[in-house]
Amino acid sequence: MPHHPGLLRTAPLPGETTSSLICRIAGRYGMEAKVLRSYWQWRNYPPGHDGGGARADAEVLLNTAGRQLLAGLSGAEEDVLARALPSWGQEDTKLSAGKNGVPAAAWRTGGAVAGPVAFGCRLCAARRTGTAVRVVRYAPRWERVCVRHGRWLLDADADQPLEHLDLRGVPEVAAAQRRWTGVARRAARAGVEPERVFALAHAVVARWWEQALHWERETIWPQRLHQVAGGNAGTALDRWRTVGRDTVVFPEVVAVADALLDPAMAQLAWTDSGAGRPRALPADGMFCRRLGERVGRPWLGPLAATDYGGPLTSWMGSVIRIRRGVGGPPGYDNDPWWLRQEHQPATMAGQLRVLGKEKKAPGSGRMWRATVPAEQRALITSTIESAEEQLLQLRGVQTGPTADVAQQLLRNLRHSAALIDNAWKRTALAAVNAGMPLEEVAQWAEMSPDALMTMLAAGQEDGG
C-alpha cells in the first residue's frame, strides 16, 4: 500500500453497504478494490449477473477480525461504522470456521442481508467526500428521491447501467416522497407497519401499470415516462416501462396508501358490499369511484372495481369479512395488509432478466410472452384472478335466510363460471394467434377443430 492503513480517513455514509465502503477506501488509496479485498480471507465468490459481470448490490459480511481491519483501513471508529453500515455485525456460519484472529469475509447480495439496495446520489457523495464516486446503500422505495438534485435513485440489483433517473420535469414525484412521511405516521397510529401499507399500495398500482397498456384515457403515466426517459422512450419502450415503473407510479402509490388508511374509504367498501345484506361488489361502487378520484383519474373506478382478483379487491374482501365476522381463524384472510405472493409485482431486475432471455433465446418467437401481447396476457390473468376472488367472497355465506344465501351463491357461481369460460376462450385464441396448430389447441381444449374455430370466430365478432 502506498500509504499507511488509516492514514486517509474514509467515513461511511448512512445506510451504505460494506462492499461500497471498501471500494471507496480502495479508491482513496489509489488502489483497485480487488487489491484491497485481498487483505481478507474470502469464503466464497462474489455474486454476479446471469450474463456475467459483477453485481452492484454485492454485500460483504465480516468476522470480528475483519471488522477490526476495516475500521483500521477506513480510519473510522467501530461504533461509527456500526451505526452507518446495516450489515455491520452480521456474520455467517462460514466465517466462524476460520482461525482466530484472521480477517475473514463472505459475499452476499444486499437484498438478502438488510433489504432493498439502491445507488446513492453521486452529487451528494461529492458534497460529503469531495469526490463524485459511486455509492451503494440500503434504501426503501419511499426514500429514492434525492430532493436536492432532482434524482430518482434506481435499484442496484439489476443488470443495467443507469444509477438514477432525472426528476426535474416531474416535480410531483418529489412531492409524493414528502407526502409519504405523513402517510407513514398515519399508518403507525393505526397500528400498521408503514412498509406493509406501502407494499400493498405498490402492488395495487403496479397492477394498474400493466393494465394501463390498454387504457385509452390514461395520459399521465405515458407523459411522465417519456420525461424520465430523457424526453422520449423511443423504440425501447418495454425497457423503459421496466426501468421507469417505480419512479413513474410513485405519486399514485402514496395516494393509494393514504386512501387505504382512511376509515371513510373502508366504510365505502363495506357499503358497496351490501353491508348487512351481502351482495357482489358492483362495477360502479363508491369505493373504487372515490379511489379513482384520489389518484386523479375519475374514470378509473369501474376498471378497478371489475379487477376482482387483484390486491385491491383482496384488501376490500378482508375488510368486508372482518366486519361480517366470517373471516375464520386468525390468519392472512383476516389481515387487510397481507400481500399474497402472487400479487407481489415483479422487480426491475426480474423483468429485465426476462426481457433479456426472450431476446437471446433461440426460437423465442414461440415463447408465450414474446408472442402474446402484454395486454392479452394481462386480461387472461385478470379474468382468472377475478373468478378466484368471486369464489373467495362465498366463504361463510351459507348462513342466514335461505333466499339470501341461495341468491348470492347462484349469482357468484354463475359469474365465476362466466369468467373462467372467458379466460379459457382468450387462452385458446392467444395460442392460435401465437402460431400453435389449431388441431393441437383443439386437442388440449378437448373439442373438435371445427367447433374450436366456430367458437373463436364467434368470440372475435363479439369483441372477446
Side-chain angles (χ1 to χ4, degrees), residues 92-180:
D92 187 88
T93 54
K94 293 182 179 180
L95 297 178
S96 60
K99 296 181 180 179
N100 292 334
V102 176
W107 288 103
R108 290 291 180 269
T109 58
V113 174
V117 181
F119 292 104
C121 175
R122 288 189 181 234
L123 297 180
C124 289
R127 293 182 69 250
R128 293 283 300 273
T129 68
T131 307
V133 295
R134 187 177 83 173
V135 175
V136 182
R137 56 186 293 268
Y138 293 94
R141 286 185 174 82
W142 57 81
E143 292 181 0
R144 294 298 179 86
V145 178
C146 173
V147 177
R148 179 185 295 273
H149 299 111
R151 292 178 169 185
W152 176 275
L153 306 173
L154 291 167
D155 292 343
D157 61 345
D159 188 7
Q160 60 88 34
L162 297 177
E163 294 184 12
H164 71 271
L165 297 179
D166 191 341
L167 299 180
R168 286 175 293 181
V170 283
E172 64 269 27
V173 177
Q177 180 162 293
R178 291 190 291 269
R179 185 183 177 193
W180 168 253

Coordinates of all heavy atoms in Angstrom, one line a residue, residues 92-180:
D92 N -21.8 -14.9 9.3 CA -22.2 -16.1 8.6 C -21.5 -17.3 9.2 O -20.4 -17.2 9.7 CB -21.9 -15.9 7.1 CG -22.4 -17.1 6.3 OD1 -23.6 -16.9 5.8 OD2 -21.7 -18.1 6.1
T93 N -22.1 -18.5 9.1 CA -21.5 -19.7 9.7 C -20.2 -20.0 9.0 O -19.3 -20.6 9.6 CB -22.5 -20.9 9.5 OG1 -22.8 -21.0 8.1 CG2 -23.7 -20.7 10.3
K94 N -20.0 -19.6 7.7 CA -18.7 -19.9 7.1 C -17.6 -19.1 7.7 O -16.5 -19.5 7.7 CB -18.9 -19.5 5.6 CG -19.8 -20.4 4.8 CD -19.8 -20.0 3.3 CE -20.8 -20.9 2.5 NZ -20.8 -20.5 1.1
L95 N -17.9 -17.9 8.3 CA -16.9 -17.1 8.8 C -16.3 -17.6 10.2 O -15.2 -17.5 10.5 CB -17.4 -15.7 9.1 CG -17.8 -14.9 7.8 CD1 -18.4 -13.6 8.2 CD2 -16.7 -14.8 6.8
S96 N -17.2 -18.3 10.9 CA -16.7 -18.8 12.2 C -15.7 -20.0 12.1 O -15.1 -20.4 13.0 CB -17.9 -19.3 13.0 OG -18.6 -20.3 12.4
A97 N -15.6 -20.6 10.8 CA -14.7 -21.7 10.7 C -13.3 -21.3 10.5 O -12.4 -22.1 10.6 CB -15.1 -22.5 9.4
G98 N -13.0 -20.0 10.3 CA -11.6 -19.5 10.2 C -10.8 -19.5 11.5 O -11.4 -19.6 12.6
K99 N -9.5 -19.4 11.3 CA -8.7 -19.4 12.5 C -8.9 -18.1 13.3 O -9.2 -17.0 12.7 CB -7.2 -19.5 12.1 CG -6.9 -20.9 11.5 CD -5.4 -20.9 11.1 CE -5.1 -22.3 10.5 NZ -3.7 -22.4 10.1
N100 N -8.8 -18.1 14.6 CA -8.9 -16.9 15.4 C -7.9 -15.8 15.0 O -6.7 -16.1 14.8 CB -8.7 -17.3 16.9 CG -9.9 -18.1 17.4 OD1 -11.0 -18.1 16.8 ND2 -9.6 -18.9 18.4
G101 N -8.4 -14.6 14.9 CA -7.5 -13.5 14.5 C -7.3 -13.3 13.1 O -6.6 -12.3 12.7
V102 N -7.8 -14.2 12.2 CA -7.6 -14.0 10.8 C -8.8 -13.2 10.2 O -10.0 -13.7 10.3 CB -7.5 -15.4 10.1 CG1 -7.4 -15.2 8.6 CG2 -6.3 -16.1 10.6
P103 N -8.6 -12.1 9.6 CA -9.7 -11.3 9.0 C -10.4 -12.2 7.9 O -9.7 -12.6 6.9 CB -9.1 -10.1 8.4 CG -7.8 -10.0 9.1 CD -7.3 -11.4 9.4
A104 N -11.7 -12.5 8.0 CA -12.4 -13.3 7.0 C -13.6 -12.5 6.5 O -14.2 -11.7 7.2 CB -12.7 -14.6 7.6
A105 N -14.0 -12.9 5.3 CA -15.2 -12.2 4.7 C -16.0 -13.2 3.9 O -15.4 -14.2 3.4 CB -14.8 -11.0 3.9
A106 N -17.3 -12.9 3.7 CA -18.1 -13.7 2.8 C -19.0 -12.8 2.0 O -19.5 -11.7 2.5 CB -19.0 -14.6 3.7
W107 N -19.2 -13.2 0.8 CA -20.1 -12.4 -0.1 C -21.5 -12.8 0.0 O -21.9 -13.9 0.3 CB -19.7 -12.6 -1.6 CG -18.4 -12.0 -2.0 CD1 -17.2 -12.7 -2.2 CD2 -18.1 -10.7 -2.3 NE1 -16.2 -11.8 -2.6 CE2 -16.8 -10.6 -2.7 CE3 -18.9 -9.5 -2.4 CZ2 -16.2 -9.4 -3.1 CZ3 -18.4 -8.3 -2.8 CH2 -17.0 -8.2 -3.1
R108 N -22.4 -11.8 -0.1 CA -23.8 -12.0 -0.1 C -24.4 -11.0 -1.1 O -23.7 -10.1 -1.6 CB -24.4 -11.8 1.3 CG -24.1 -12.9 2.3 CD -24.7 -14.2 1.9 NE -24.4 -15.2 2.9 CZ -23.3 -16.1 2.8 NH1 -22.5 -15.9 1.7 NH2 -23.1 -17.0 3.6
T109 N -25.7 -11.1 -1.4 CA -26.4 -10.0 -2.1 C -27.0 -9.1 -1.0 O -27.5 -9.6 0.0 CB -27.4 -10.5 -3.1 OG1 -28.4 -11.4 -2.4 CG2 -26.8 -11.4 -4.2
G110 N -27.0 -7.8 -1.3 CA -27.6 -6.9 -0.3 C -29.0 -7.2 0.1 O -29.4 -7.0 1.2
G111 N -29.8 -7.5 -0.9 CA -31.2 -7.8 -0.6 C -31.5 -8.9 0.4 O -32.5 -8.9 1.1
A112 N -30.5 -9.8 0.4 CA -30.7 -10.9 1.4 C -30.1 -10.6 2.8 O -30.2 -11.4 3.7 CB -29.9 -12.2 0.8
V113 N -29.5 -9.4 2.9 CA -28.9 -9.1 4.2 C -29.7 -8.0 4.9 O -30.0 -8.3 6.1 CB -27.4 -8.5 3.9 CG1 -26.8 -8.0 5.2 CG2 -26.5 -9.5 3.3
A114 N -30.1 -7.0 4.3 CA -30.7 -5.9 5.0 C -31.8 -5.1 4.2 O -32.1 -4.0 4.5 CB -29.7 -4.9 5.6
G115 N -32.3 -5.7 3.1 CA -33.4 -5.1 2.4 C -33.0 -4.5 1.1 O -31.8 -4.7 0.6
P116 N -33.9 -3.7 0.4 CA -33.6 -3.2 -0.9 C -32.3 -2.3 -1.0 O -32.1 -1.6 0.0 CB -34.9 -2.4 -1.2 CG -35.9 -2.9 -0.3 CD -35.2 -3.4 0.9
V117 N -31.6 -2.5 -2.0 CA -30.4 -1.8 -2.2 C -30.5 -0.9 -3.4 O -30.9 -1.3 -4.5 CB -29.2 -2.8 -2.4 CG1 -27.9 -2.0 -2.6 CG2 -29.1 -3.7 -1.2
A118 N -30.0 0.4 -3.3 CA -30.1 1.3 -4.4 C -28.8 2.1 -4.5 O -27.9 2.0 -3.7 CB -31.2 2.3 -4.2
F119 N -28.6 2.7 -5.7 CA -27.5 3.6 -5.9 C -27.7 4.8 -5.1 O -28.8 5.3 -4.9 CB -27.3 3.9 -7.3 CG -26.9 2.7 -8.2 CD1 -27.8 2.1 -9.0 CD2 -25.6 2.2 -8.2 CE1 -27.5 1.0 -9.8 CE2 -25.2 1.1 -8.9 CZ -26.2 0.5 -9.8
G120 N -26.6 5.4 -4.6 CA -26.6 6.7 -4.0 C -26.5 7.8 -5.0 O -26.1 7.5 -6.1
C121 N -26.7 9.0 -4.6 CA -26.6 10.2 -5.5 C -25.1 10.6 -5.5 O -24.5 10.9 -4.5 CB -27.4 11.3 -5.0 SG -27.2 12.8 -6.0
R122 N -24.5 10.5 -6.7 CA -23.1 10.9 -6.8 C -22.8 12.3 -6.4 O -21.7 12.7 -5.9 CB -22.5 10.6 -8.2 CG -22.4 9.1 -8.5 CD -21.7 8.9 -9.8 NE -21.6 7.5 -10.1 CZ -20.5 6.8 -10.4 NH1 -19.3 7.5 -10.4 NH2 -20.5 5.6 -10.7
L123 N -23.8 13.2 -6.7 CA -23.6 14.6 -6.4 C -23.6 14.8 -4.8 O -22.8 15.6 -4.3 CB -24.6 15.5 -7.0 CG -24.6 15.4 -8.6 CD1 -25.8 16.3 -9.1 CD2 -23.3 15.9 -9.1
C124 N -24.5 14.1 -4.2 CA -24.5 14.2 -2.7 C -23.2 13.6 -2.1 O -22.6 14.1 -1.1 CB -25.7 13.4 -2.1 SG -27.3 14.2 -2.4
A125 N -22.7 12.5 -2.7 CA -21.4 11.9 -2.3 C -20.3 12.9 -2.5 O -19.4 13.0 -1.6 CB -21.2 10.6 -3.1
A126 N -20.3 13.6 -3.5 CA -19.3 14.6 -3.8 C -19.3 15.7 -2.7 O -18.2 16.2 -2.2 CB -19.4 15.2 -5.1
R127 N -20.5 16.1 -2.2 CA -20.6 17.1 -1.2 C -20.0 16.6 0.1 O -19.5 17.4 0.9 CB -22.1 17.5 -1.0 CG -22.7 18.3 -2.2 CD -24.1 18.7 -1.9 NE -24.2 19.7 -0.8 CZ -24.6 19.6 0.4 NH1 -25.1 18.4 0.8 NH2 -24.6 20.5 1.3
R128 N -20.2 15.3 0.4 CA -19.7 14.7 1.6 C -18.3 14.3 1.6 O -17.6 14.4 2.6 CB -20.6 13.5 1.9 CG -22.1 13.8 2.3 CD -22.2 14.3 3.7 NE -21.7 13.4 4.7 CZ -22.5 12.4 5.2 NH1 -23.7 12.3 4.9 NH2 -22.0 11.7 6.2
T129 N -17.8 13.8 0.4 CA -16.5 13.2 0.4 C -15.5 14.0 -0.5 O -14.3 13.8 -0.4 CB -16.6 11.8 -0.2 OG1 -16.9 11.8 -1.5 CG2 -17.6 11.0 0.6
G130 N -16.0 14.9 -1.3 CA -15.1 15.7 -2.2 C -14.9 15.0 -3.6 O -14.3 15.5 -4.4
T131 N -15.5 13.8 -3.7 CA -15.3 13.0 -5.0 C -16.7 12.5 -5.4 O -17.4 11.9 -4.5 CB -14.3 11.9 -4.8 OG1 -13.1 12.4 -4.3 CG2 -14.0 11.2 -6.1
A132 N -17.0 12.6 -6.7 CA -18.3 12.1 -7.2 C -18.1 10.6 -7.5 O -18.1 10.2 -8.6 CB -18.7 12.8 -8.4
V133 N -18.0 9.8 -6.4 CA -17.8 8.3 -6.6 C -19.2 7.6 -6.5 O -20.2 8.2 -6.0 CB -16.9 7.8 -5.5 CG1 -15.5 8.4 -5.7 CG2 -17.4 8.1 -4.1
R134 N -19.2 6.4 -7.0 CA -20.4 5.6 -6.8 C -20.6 5.1 -5.4 O -19.6 4.6 -4.8 CB -20.3 4.3 -7.8 CG -21.6 3.6 -7.8 CD -21.6 2.4 -8.7 NE -21.0 1.2 -8.2 CZ -21.0 0.1 -8.7 NH1 -21.5 -0.1 -10.0 NH2 -20.4 -1.0 -8.2
V135 N -21.8 5.2 -4.9 CA -22.1 4.8 -3.6 C -23.3 3.9 -3.7 O -24.2 4.2 -4.5 CB -22.4 5.9 -2.6 CG1 -22.9 5.4 -1.3 CG2 -21.2 6.8 -2.4
V136 N -23.3 2.7 -3.0 CA -24.4 1.8 -3.0 C -24.9 1.8 -1.5 O -24.1 1.6 -0.6 CB -24.1 0.4 -3.5 CG1 -25.3 -0.5 -3.5 CG2 -23.4 0.5 -4.9
R137 N -26.2 1.9 -1.3 CA -26.8 2.0 0.0 C -28.1 1.3 0.1 O -28.8 1.1 -0.9 CB -26.9 3.4 0.5 CG -27.7 4.3 -0.4 CD -27.7 5.8 0.0 NE -28.3 6.0 1.2 CZ -29.6 6.3 1.4 NH1 -30.4 6.4 0.3 NH2 -30.1 6.5 2.6
Y138 N -28.5 0.9 1.3 CA -29.8 0.4 1.6 C -30.8 1.5 1.6 O -30.6 2.5 2.3 CB -29.8 -0.4 2.9 CG -29.0 -1.7 2.8 CD1 -27.6 -1.6 3.3 CD2 -29.4 -2.9 2.3 CE1 -26.8 -2.8 3.3 CE2 -28.7 -4.0 2.3 CZ -27.4 -3.9 2.7 OH -26.6 -5.1 2.7
A139 N -31.9 1.4 0.9 CA -32.9 2.4 0.8 C -34.3 1.8 0.4 O -34.4 1.2 -0.7 CB -32.5 3.5 -0.1
P140 N -35.3 2.0 1.2 CA -36.6 1.5 0.8 C -37.1 2.4 -0.3 O -36.6 3.5 -0.6 CB -37.5 1.7 2.1 CG -36.8 2.8 2.8 CD -35.3 2.6 2.6
R141 N -38.1 1.9 -1.0 CA -38.6 2.6 -2.2 C -39.3 3.9 -2.0 O -39.5 4.7 -2.9 CB -39.5 1.7 -3.1 CG -38.7 0.6 -3.8 CD -39.5 -0.3 -4.7 NE -38.6 -1.2 -5.4 CZ -38.1 -2.3 -5.0 NH1 -38.5 -2.7 -3.8 NH2 -37.3 -3.1 -5.7
W142 N -39.6 4.2 -0.7 CA -40.2 5.5 -0.4 C -39.1 6.5 -0.1 O -39.5 7.7 0.3 CB -41.3 5.4 0.7 CG -40.7 4.8 2.0 CD1 -40.0 5.5 2.9 CD2 -40.9 3.5 2.4 NE1 -39.7 4.6 4.0 CE2 -40.2 3.4 3.7 CE3 -41.5 2.3 1.9 CZ2 -40.2 2.2 4.4 CZ3 -41.4 1.2 2.6 CH2 -40.8 1.1 3.8
E143 N -37.9 6.2 -0.2 CA -36.8 7.1 0.1 C -35.8 7.1 -1.1 O -34.6 7.2 -0.9 CB -36.0 6.7 1.3 CG -36.8 6.9 2.6 CD -36.0 6.5 3.9 OE1 -34.8 6.1 3.7 OE2 -36.5 6.6 5.0
R144 N -36.3 7.1 -2.3 CA -35.5 7.0 -3.5 C -35.3 8.4 -4.2 O -34.5 8.5 -5.2 CB -36.1 6.0 -4.5 CG -36.1 4.6 -4.0 CD -34.7 4.1 -3.8 NE -34.7 2.7 -3.3 CZ -34.7 1.6 -4.1 NH1 -34.7 1.8 -5.4 NH2 -34.7 0.4 -3.6
V145 N -35.9 9.4 -3.7 CA -35.8 10.7 -4.3 C -34.7 11.5 -3.6 O -34.7 11.7 -2.4 CB -37.1 11.5 -4.3 CG1 -36.9 12.9 -4.9 CG2 -38.2 10.8 -5.0
C146 N -33.7 12.0 -4.4 CA -32.8 13.0 -3.9 C -33.4 14.3 -4.3 O -33.3 14.8 -5.4 CB -31.4 12.8 -4.6 SG -30.3 14.2 -4.2
V147 N -34.0 14.9 -3.3 CA -34.7 16.2 -3.5 C -33.8 17.3 -3.9 O -34.1 18.1 -4.7 CB -35.5 16.6 -2.2 CG1 -36.2 17.9 -2.4 CG2 -36.5 15.5 -1.9
R148 N -32.6 17.3 -3.3 CA -31.6 18.4 -3.6 C -31.2 18.4 -5.1 O -31.1 19.5 -5.7 CB -30.3 18.2 -2.8 CG -29.3 19.2 -3.0 CD -28.0 18.9 -2.2 NE -28.2 18.9 -0.8 CZ -28.1 20.0 0.0 NH1 -27.8 21.2 -0.6 NH2 -28.3 20.0 1.3
H149 N -31.1 17.2 -5.7 CA -30.6 17.2 -7.1 C -31.6 16.7 -8.1 O -31.3 16.5 -9.2 CB -29.3 16.3 -7.1 CG -28.2 16.9 -6.3 ND1 -27.7 16.2 -5.2 CD2 -27.5 18.0 -6.4 CE1 -26.8 16.9 -4.6 NE2 -26.6 18.0 -5.3
G150 N -32.8 16.4 -7.6 CA -33.9 16.0 -8.5 C -33.6 14.7 -9.2 O -33.7 14.6 -10.4
R151 N -33.3 13.7 -8.4 CA -33.0 12.4 -9.0 C -33.8 11.3 -8.3 O -34.0 11.3 -7.1 CB -31.5 12.1 -8.9 CG -30.6 13.0 -9.7 CD -29.1 12.6 -9.5 NE -28.3 13.3 -10.5 CZ -27.0 13.1 -10.6 NH1 -26.4 12.3 -9.7 NH2 -26.3 13.7 -11.5
W152 N -34.2 10.3 -9.1 CA -34.7 9.0 -8.5 C -33.6 8.0 -8.6 O -33.0 7.7 -9.6 CB -35.9 8.5 -9.3 CG -36.4 7.2 -8.8 CD1 -36.0 6.0 -9.1 CD2 -37.5 7.0 -7.9 NE1 -36.7 5.0 -8.5 CE2 -37.7 5.6 -7.7 CE3 -38.4 7.9 -7.2 CZ2 -38.6 5.1 -6.9 CZ3 -39.3 7.3 -6.4 CH2 -39.5 6.0 -6.2
L153 N -33.3 7.4 -7.4 CA -32.1 6.5 -7.3 C -32.6 5.1 -7.5 O -33.5 4.6 -6.8 CB -31.5 6.6 -5.9 CG -31.1 8.1 -5.6 CD1 -30.6 8.2 -4.2 CD2 -30.0 8.6 -6.6
L154 N -32.1 4.4 -8.5 CA -32.6 3.1 -9.0 C -32.1 2.0 -8.2 O -31.0 2.1 -7.5 CB -32.2 3.0 -10.5 CG -32.9 3.9 -11.5 CD1 -32.1 3.8 -12.8 CD2 -34.3 3.5 -11.6
D155 N -32.8 0.9 -8.3 CA -32.3 -0.4 -7.7 C -30.9 -0.7 -8.2 O -30.6 -0.6 -9.4 CB -33.3 -1.5 -8.0 CG -34.6 -1.4 -7.4 OD1 -34.8 -0.6 -6.5 OD2 -35.6 -2.1 -7.9
A156 N -30.1 -1.3 -7.3 CA -28.7 -1.6 -7.6 C -28.6 -3.1 -8.0 O -27.5 -3.5 -8.3 CB -27.8 -1.3 -6.5
D157 N -29.7 -3.9 -7.9 CA -29.6 -5.3 -8.2 C -29.8 -5.7 -9.6 O -29.6 -6.8 -10.0 CB -30.6 -6.1 -7.3 CG -32.0 -5.7 -7.6 OD1 -32.2 -4.7 -8.2 OD2 -32.9 -6.5 -7.1
A158 N -30.1 -4.7 -10.5 CA -30.5 -5.0 -11.9 C -29.2 -4.9 -12.8 O -28.3 -4.1 -12.5 CB -31.6 -4.1 -12.4
D159 N -29.3 -5.7 -13.8 CA -28.2 -5.7 -14.8 C -28.4 -4.6 -15.8 O -28.8 -4.9 -17.0 CB -28.0 -7.0 -15.4 CG -26.8 -7.2 -16.3 OD1 -25.9 -6.2 -16.3 OD2 -26.6 -8.2 -17.0
Q160 N -28.3 -3.3 -15.5 CA -28.4 -2.2 -16.4 C -27.6 -1.1 -15.9 O -27.2 -1.0 -14.7 CB -29.9 -1.8 -16.5 CG -30.6 -1.4 -15.2 CD -30.4 0.1 -14.9 OE1 -30.4 0.9 -15.8 NE2 -30.2 0.5 -13.7
P161 N -27.2 -0.2 -16.8 CA -26.1 0.8 -16.4 C -26.6 2.1 -15.7 O -25.7 2.8 -15.1 CB -25.6 1.2 -17.8 CG -26.7 1.1 -18.7 CD -27.5 -0.1 -18.2
L162 N -27.8 2.4 -15.7 CA -28.3 3.6 -15.1 C -28.3 3.6 -13.6 O -28.6 2.6 -13.0 CB -29.7 4.0 -15.6 CG -29.9 4.2 -17.1 CD1 -31.3 4.5 -17.4 CD2 -29.0 5.4 -17.5
E163 N -27.9 4.7 -12.9 CA -27.9 4.8 -11.5 C -29.1 5.6 -11.0 O -29.5 5.5 -9.9 CB -26.6 5.4 -11.0 CG -25.4 4.5 -11.2 CD -24.1 5.0 -10.6 OE1 -24.2 6.0 -9.8 OE2 -23.0 4.5 -10.9
H164 N -29.6 6.5 -11.9 CA -30.7 7.4 -11.5 C -31.5 7.8 -12.7 O -31.0 7.7 -13.8 CB -30.1 8.6 -10.7 CG -29.4 9.6 -11.6 ND1 -28.1 9.5 -11.9 CD2 -29.9 10.7 -12.4 CE1 -27.7 10.5 -12.7 NE2 -28.8 11.2 -13.0
L165 N -32.7 8.4 -12.4 CA -33.5 9.0 -13.4 C -33.7 10.5 -13.1 O -33.8 10.8 -11.9 CB -34.8 8.3 -13.6 CG -34.8 6.8 -14.0 CD1 -36.2 6.2 -14.0 CD2 -34.1 6.6 -15.3
D166 N -33.8 11.3 -14.1 CA -33.9 12.8 -13.8 C -35.3 13.1 -13.5 O -36.2 12.8 -14.3 CB -33.4 13.5 -15.1 CG -33.2 15.0 -14.9 OD1 -33.8 15.5 -13.9 OD2 -32.5 15.6 -15.6
L167 N -35.6 13.7 -12.4 CA -36.9 14.1 -12.0 C -37.3 15.6 -12.1 O -38.3 16.0 -11.7 CB -37.1 13.7 -10.5 CG -37.0 12.3 -10.1 CD1 -37.2 12.1 -8.6 CD2 -37.9 11.4 -10.9
R168 N -36.4 16.3 -12.8 CA -36.6 17.8 -12.8 C -37.8 18.2 -13.6 O -38.4 19.2 -13.4 CB -35.4 18.5 -13.4 CG -34.2 18.5 -12.4 CD -32.9 19.1 -13.1 NE -32.4 18.2 -14.2 CZ -31.3 18.5 -14.9 NH1 -30.6 19.5 -14.6 NH2 -30.9 17.6 -15.8
G169 N -38.3 17.3 -14.5 CA -39.5 17.6 -15.2 C -40.8 17.0 -14.6 O -41.9 17.2 -15.1
V170 N -40.6 16.3 -13.5 CA -41.8 15.7 -12.8 C -41.7 15.9 -11.3 O -41.5 15.1 -10.5 CB -41.8 14.1 -13.1 CG1 -42.3 13.8 -14.5 CG2 -40.5 13.5 -12.9
P171 N -42.0 17.2 -10.9 CA -41.8 17.5 -9.5 C -42.8 16.8 -8.6 O -42.6 16.8 -7.4 CB -42.1 19.1 -9.5 CG -42.9 19.3 -10.8 CD -42.4 18.3 -11.8
E172 N -43.9 16.2 -9.2 CA -44.9 15.5 -8.4 C -44.3 14.3 -7.7 O -44.8 13.8 -6.7 CB -46.1 15.2 -9.2 CG -45.8 14.2 -10.3 CD -45.5 14.9 -11.6 OE1 -45.0 16.0 -11.6 OE2 -45.8 14.3 -12.7
V173 N -43.2 13.8 -8.2 CA -42.6 12.6 -7.6 C -41.9 13.0 -6.3 O -42.0 12.3 -5.3 CB -41.6 11.9 -8.6 CG1 -40.9 10.7 -8.0 CG2 -42.3 11.5 -9.9
A174 N -41.1 14.0 -6.3 CA -40.5 14.5 -5.1 C -41.6 14.9 -4.1 O -41.4 14.7 -2.9 CB -39.6 15.7 -5.4
A175 N -42.6 15.5 -4.6 CA -43.7 15.9 -3.7 C -44.4 14.7 -3.0 O -44.7 14.8 -1.8 CB -44.8 16.7 -4.4
A176 N -44.4 13.6 -3.7 CA -45.0 12.4 -3.2 C -44.2 11.9 -2.0 O -44.7 11.3 -1.0 CB -45.2 11.4 -4.2
Q177 N -42.8 12.0 -2.2 CA -41.9 11.5 -1.1 C -42.1 12.3 0.2 O -42.2 11.8 1.3 CB -40.5 11.5 -1.5 CG -39.5 11.1 -0.5 CD -38.2 10.7 -1.0 OE1 -38.0 9.7 -1.8 NE2 -37.2 11.5 -0.7
R178 N -42.3 13.6 0.0 CA -42.6 14.5 1.2 C -43.9 14.1 1.8 O -44.1 14.1 3.0 CB -42.6 15.9 0.8 CG -41.2 16.5 0.4 CD -41.2 18.0 0.3 NE -41.9 18.4 -0.9 CZ -41.4 18.6 -2.1 NH1 -40.1 18.4 -2.3 NH2 -42.1 19.0 -3.1
R179 N -44.9 13.8 1.0 CA -46.2 13.4 1.5 C -46.2 12.0 2.2 O -47.0 11.8 3.1 CB -47.2 13.4 0.3 CG -48.7 13.1 0.7 CD -49.6 13.0 -0.5 NE -50.9 12.7 -0.1 CZ -51.9 12.3 -0.9 NH1 -51.6 12.2 -2.2 NH2 -53.1 12.1 -0.5
W180 N -45.3 11.2 1.8 CA -45.3 9.8 2.4 C -45.0 9.9 3.9 O -45.4 9.0 4.6 CB -44.2 9.0 1.7 CG -43.9 7.7 2.4 CD1 -42.8 7.4 3.2 CD2 -44.8 6.6 2.6 NE1 -42.9 6.2 3.8 CE2 -44.1 5.6 3.4 CE3 -46.1 6.3 2.1 CZ2 -44.7 4.4 3.8 CZ3 -46.6 5.1 2.5 CH2 -46.0 4.1 3.3

